[in-house]
Amino acid sequence: MHLSLLQALIRNEVPPQTIDIQQLFEMSEKYQDPLSSEYKLVELALNIVLGSYLEKAHKLLWATEYE
């Protein structure tokens, strides 16, 4: 996965579902310097993708709770 795809994610040009979370985990192992721009980009992308999963799970739980 290229960093440009992560930049597009952050700019809302691609949806979080198009990002392979396993590749993000691999990138987080590659970029471990917290002061580097790559590290910050991967960290932000992970937050966005994980947040979208949590939001989806929350909606599913609330939808089934009131059926």
Side-chain angles (χ1 to χ4, degrees), residues 2-58:
H2 295 284
L3 294 174
S4 59
L5 181 59
L6 301 185
Q7 291 170 333
L9 170 70
I10 291 165
R11 291 190 303 262
N12 286 328
E13 295 172 355
V14 296
Q17 298 79 15
T18 61
I19 304 297
D20 182 354
I21 198 161
Q22 183 61 40
Q23 287 184 333
L24 279 177
F25 292 147
E26 291 168 8
M27 290 177 80
S28 69
E29 292 173 351
K30 181 178 178 181
Y31 302 111
Q32 293 193 2
D33 177 8
L35 300 177
S36 71
S37 57
E38 293 88 357
Y39 176 96
K40 293 176 184 190
L41 188 61
V42 172
E43 180 182 34
L44 185 53
L46 270 168
N47 286 335
I48 291 169
V49 172
L50 291 173
S52 74
Y53 280 115
L54 287 173
E55 184 178 332
K56 184 177 181 179
H58 184 264

